[in-house]
Amino acid sequence: MTLEDFLVQTQASVRAEVETRSGEYGTPYPYPEMVFTEIVMQHMADIGMSHEPQVCHHISKAGNATLRLSGYAVSEEADQLDLFVSLYDGVDNILPVADAETKAAAEQCLRFLTRCVEGKLSAALDPSNEAYALAETVQGCYPDLNQIRVYVLTDRVGKSKAFKPREIAGKTIKLEVMDIERLHRHWSEGKPRDELVVNFEEVCGHALPCVYVAEENSEYEYALTAIPGRALEFVYEKYGARLLEANVRSFLSVTGKVNRGIRDTLKATPDRFMAYNNGIVLVADEARMGKTADGGPGLLWLKGMQIVNGGQTTASIYFTRKKDAGVDLSRVRVPAKIIVLRSSDTIAEERLIADISRFANSQNAVKVSDLSANKPFHVELEKLAMTTYTPDGVGRWFYERAAGSYNVLLAREGTTPARLRKLKETTPTTRKITKTDLAKYLNAWEGQPHIASLGAQKNFERFMEALSEAGDQTLPDLAAFKHMVAKAIVFRTAHRLTKPFRQVQAQLAAYVVAVLAMRLGSRISLDAVWQQQGLSPEFEAMISDWLARTYAIIRQTGGERLPSEWVKKPECWAFVQKGEFPEGAKTVKEVQPAGAS
């Protein structure tokens, strides 16, 4: 796919999403710039470049200067902050954007950050403003932040992809541009790891001594070496979680038992790290060999480097050093096995990477959620969706087992304008459910809204773990499929009704669904919801009331914490469960009276 084709496809996705949301009653108008922002931020989170995103549109004045923000993302440990500002034009042709324009947008976002740090923004904002909680949180946690980045998002092509870092209150702020060209490299035919290049000669001052094995007609070559701790720290500093894209386990914190052991070794006996640590496994697209100082074989550089096993080790080295400058990494060596891929078949190559990751992590019984599309549960749901019609006998719901399969359906069967129009009428995007959507709906229904609030990928991993524990042989039948769709309808209705609470819309919907399931349980007729393909006005009114009550509890119990982070804590859910949620005077026909059989 060319850059031009990718731009057209991206704009079509933005416009389709705007059209879909515009048709949802009671929702705010979905401005194209904000939809573009949301799509790009979510993609960056999915590939590990950022964290779970939150759209937050803010423009204000400080004297003659403009403060601007389009969205933000905070790491789970609240020690990393990404701020986003968009320059969206909706163009269908490749057009340049001047560095002066992208730099000006970055400056507006930097002013927003500065005012937050100084406490001036929170003092000037009304508490109901969607940026208020973020401003308060940044002011409070700023001294503990280890990484702060400002991204300018644009659908044009920028000359520069990064600018000189800035200093604010003793912290270094990285400034980067995610333009349509860079996005194309990540999102289209180019692999996200293409940008990940490490030159060991530059980082370490010499080639790494290694044993290198290259066999004819093999789909890979491999090397065994020891990577200096400083080199891993440098690479993680530069690329962050993107190094772990192919790793099935995400780094959580240094408080876990394994990570704490790594931290203690780094502090107390760094020279024994090589002896104590099991090492890491990497894949790479290319490698260049050279000579070491003594004339032996040496590894000069790697392109497309990905850590498929050892993400915990790498991140622990980085964060331990970040929090304690006294840690001496000069004596740290990490054993490493490096797989250099040879295959020209992209699909076969990605399958090999998945297998390497799965087997490399098999010692720790890690659930490989990114291979779950072929799990019997999801395959069966896809079959049920394709063969089950809504009560009108015409429409269907679409279960997107594999990412992009809905667009494939439109391309394959919508061969004429009339067929495409009919297909969109019978199977609209409003009836598309992705794997991560379903995991969110069902985890919320099972009383785990704090898990559903973790973000698409982490919540999905928890969902798959629970599914595996229950037994993969438990396949959904037609009744179960209809009930899942009914739960999706309840969740989406709740989400639509969260309009007044823009700070935590998706998370608030998850909490209300959890309260509904907990308080009313089997009294809710999911069959009735399926038959109606919607909820009655009385049911919606009750949900709206419960949303307001839930939001009040979250804000009251969260204190100065950012609501979008507080809702991820089990303590938050514990407080909400104790709240008062009256069913109301009107009869809700989808809910059977208490005591009814």
Side-chain angles (χ1 to χ4, degrees):
M1 181 186 293
T2 65
L3 177 58
E4 290 79 6
D5 291 338
F6 175 71
L7 173 62
V8 171
Q9 177 180 298
T10 301
Q11 302 295 19
S13 297
V14 172
R15 290 162 191 158
E17 189 64 25
V18 169
E19 182 181 355
T20 297
R21 297 187 189 183
S22 297
E24 295 179 355
Y25 174 75
T27 59
Y29 179 73
Y31 290 97
E33 178 176 311
M34 301 315 296
V35 172
F36 173 76
T37 301
E38 186 176 349
I39 289 174
V40 177
M41 287 196 305
Q42 187 59 59
H43 170 70
M44 292 173 67
D46 289 343
I47 65 172
M49 285 185 68
S50 185
H51 312 285
E52 193 62 27
Q54 189 79 25
V55 173
C56 183
H57 181 63
H58 178 85
I59 297 179
S60 62
K61 288 284 187 178
N64 294 324
T66 299
L67 281 62
R68 192 169 168 211
L69 181 74
S70 301
Y72 65 90
V74 181
S75 66
E76 194 169 340
E77 297 79 31
D79 59 354
Q80 299 176 44
L81 172 68
D82 291 335
L83 300 178
F84 303 89
V85 59
S86 285
L87 292 175
Y88 180 72
D89 287 86
V91 295
D92 288 315
N93 298 311
I94 303 298
L95 295 177
V97 57
D99 281 355
E101 192 172 352
T102 52
K103 187 177 289 187
E107 289 290 342
Q108 292 174 344
C109 196
L110 283 170
R111 291 191 198 107
F112 174 91
L113 176 63
T114 301
R115 298 281 289 186
C116 288
V117 175
E118 294 172 346
K120 295 179 180 179
L121 188 59
S122 59
L125 292 178
D126 186 276
S128 62
N129 189 296
E130 61 180 329
Y132 177 79
L134 174 64
E136 270 200 330
T137 301
V138 170
Q139 181 185 356
C141 74
Y142 194 76
D144 298 322
L145 291 175
N146 290 326
Q147 177 177 276
I148 308 168
R149 297 177 295 191
V150 168
Y151 282 102
V152 179
L153 312 179
T154 178
D155 56 344
R156 289 181 283 166
V157 177
K159 180 179 179 181
S160 300
K161 310 303 187 205
F163 298 115
K164 184 179 179 180
R166 294 283 297 276
E167 294 286 330
I168 295 179
K171 299 283 185 180
T172 300
I173 319 298
K174 296 180 179 179
L175 306 179
E176 299 192 37
V177 177
M178 176 61 78
D179 63 355
I180 195 67
E181 185 176 51
R182 188 176 176 189
L183 186 62
H184 175 241
R185 287 203 298 268
H186 289 289
W187 208 344
S188 189
E189 295 175 336
K191 293 171 286 187
R193 58 179 182 271
D194 284 349
E195 292 184 0
L196 277 63
V197 178
V198 55
N199 187 322
F200 293 110
E201 203 166 30
E202 291 180 359
V203 176
C204 307
H206 55 79
L208 298 184
C210 72
V211 175
Y212 198 84
V213 180
E215 298 179 0
E216 291 186 12
N217 302 320
S218 175
E219 56 188 338
Y220 66 88
E221 301 170 355
Y222 66 90
L224 300 176
T225 187
I227 301 179
R230 283 179 174 172
L232 285 179
E233 179 196 23
F234 171 82
V235 174
Y236 195 88
E237 169 77 30
K238 185 174 183 179
Y239 297 116
R242 293 175 60 199
L243 283 170
L244 315 180
E245 180 197 348
N247 195 316
V248 298
R249 184 194 293 108
S250 58
F251 177 75
L252 298 177
S253 70
V254 295
T255 58
K257 184 176 180 181
V258 174
N259 300 322
R260 188 165 55 246
I262 293 174
R263 178 198 62 193
D264 292 344
T265 301
L266 289 170
K267 289 183 175 181
T269 54
D271 54 316
R272 294 186 179 180
F273 196 90
M274 181 85 171
Y276 291 168
N277 191 265
N278 290 332
I280 63 177
V281 180
L282 302 89
V283 295
D285 294 319
E286 296 179 36
R288 177 173 295 173
M289 297 296 294
K291 296 290 185 181
T292 60
D294 60 4
L299 185 63
L300 291 174
W301 61 259
L302 293 172
K303 178 180 179 182
M305 172 178 165
Q306 282 278 287
I307 299 173
V308 296
N309 178 253
Q312 303 285 321
T313 296
T314 305
S316 292
I317 288 173
Y318 172 78
F319 284 107
T320 299
R321 167 73 173 173
K322 195 77 174 177
K323 294 180 179 181
D324 187 350
V327 171
D328 182 11
L329 295 183
S330 65
R331 294 186 290 165
V332 174
R333 296 291 183 275
V334 182
K337 178 171 70 174
I338 302 169
I339 311 297
V340 183
L341 304 166
R342 279 180 168 179
S343 176
S344 58
D345 184 336
T346 302
I347 295 176
E349 181 179 280
E350 295 301 329
R351 188 179 297 119
L352 174 61
I353 293 173
D355 286 341
I356 292 171
S357 180
R358 177 159 60 92
F359 287 111
N361 285 284
S362 61
Q363 291 174 292
N364 299 313
V366 176
K367 306 296 188 298
V368 191
S369 62
D370 57 351
L371 300 176
S372 65
N374 293 322
K375 290 282 188 180
F377 175 86
H378 298 294
V379 173
E380 189 63 26
L381 271 183
E382 183 183 52
K383 290 179 182 177
L384 288 166
M386 293 176 66
T387 56
T388 304
Y389 288 86
T390 53
D392 64 7
V394 177
R396 290 187 304 180
W397 284 76
F398 186 88
Y399 185 64
E400 193 170 58
R401 178 176 65 86
S405 58
Y406 179 78
N407 289 334
V408 172
L409 171 73
L410 298 181
R412 186 180 66 241
E413 299 186 15
T415 52
T416 66
R419 287 181 179 178
L420 182 60
R421 184 168 56 253
K422 184 176 180 180
L423 192 59
K424 287 185 175 181
E425 289 173 355
T426 58
T427 315
T429 55
T430 52
R431 288 203 194 118
K432 179 183 76 172
I433 300 177
T434 66
K435 296 194 303 294
T436 52
D437 286 339
L438 184 70
K440 180 169 57 179
Y441 304 153
L442 297 187
N443 271 350
W445 198 271
E446 291 298 319
Q448 300 186 88
H450 54 296
I451 301 298
S453 299
L454 288 176
Q457 297 304 317
K458 290 181 180 178
N459 174 65
F460 182 75
E461 289 179 9
R462 301 289 186 88
F463 174 75
M464 289 306 300
E465 288 174 5
L467 193 66
S468 295
E469 290 172 3
D472 291 339
Q473 291 75 26
T474 307
L475 299 180
D477 55 15
L478 179 59
F481 170 74
K482 291 181 177 180
H483 285 183
M484 288 180 194
V485 171
K487 292 172 183 177
I489 292 171
V490 173
F491 191 104
R492 291 181 174 186
T493 302
H495 187 271
R496 172 169 56 81
L497 296 173
T498 59
K499 178 182 177 181
F501 317 104
R502 295 188 63 184
Q503 291 179 7
V504 285
Q505 286 181 289
Q507 300 95 325
L508 187 58
Y511 267 78
V512 166
V513 168
V515 173
L516 284 168
M518 180 186 70
R519 293 296 176 92
L520 304 178
S522 59
R523 290 173 54 199
I524 298 176
S525 175
L526 296 175
D527 291 327
V529 175
W530 167 264
Q531 287 296 323
Q532 297 165 185
Q533 291 291 295
L535 305 184
S536 65
E538 294 79 12
F539 201 1
E540 289 195 12
M542 188 179 80
I543 290 174
S544 292
D545 177 57
W546 287 21
L547 282 168
R549 293 171 181 271
T550 303
Y551 182 72
I553 295 171
I554 291 172
R555 290 308 305 267
Q556 290 167 6
T557 58
E560 296 182 355
R561 283 169 286 201
L562 195 64
S564 58
E565 295 303 309
W566 172 232
V567 293
K568 299 175 183 178
K569 307 297 183 183
E571 295 84 359
C572 181
W573 172 227
F575 278 117
V576 171
Q577 291 180 73
K578 299 174 183 177
E580 295 184 7
F581 297 95
E583 295 183 27
K586 294 183 179 180
T587 301
V588 177
K589 63 181 181 180
E590 295 93 339
V591 181
Q592 296 178 345
S597 57

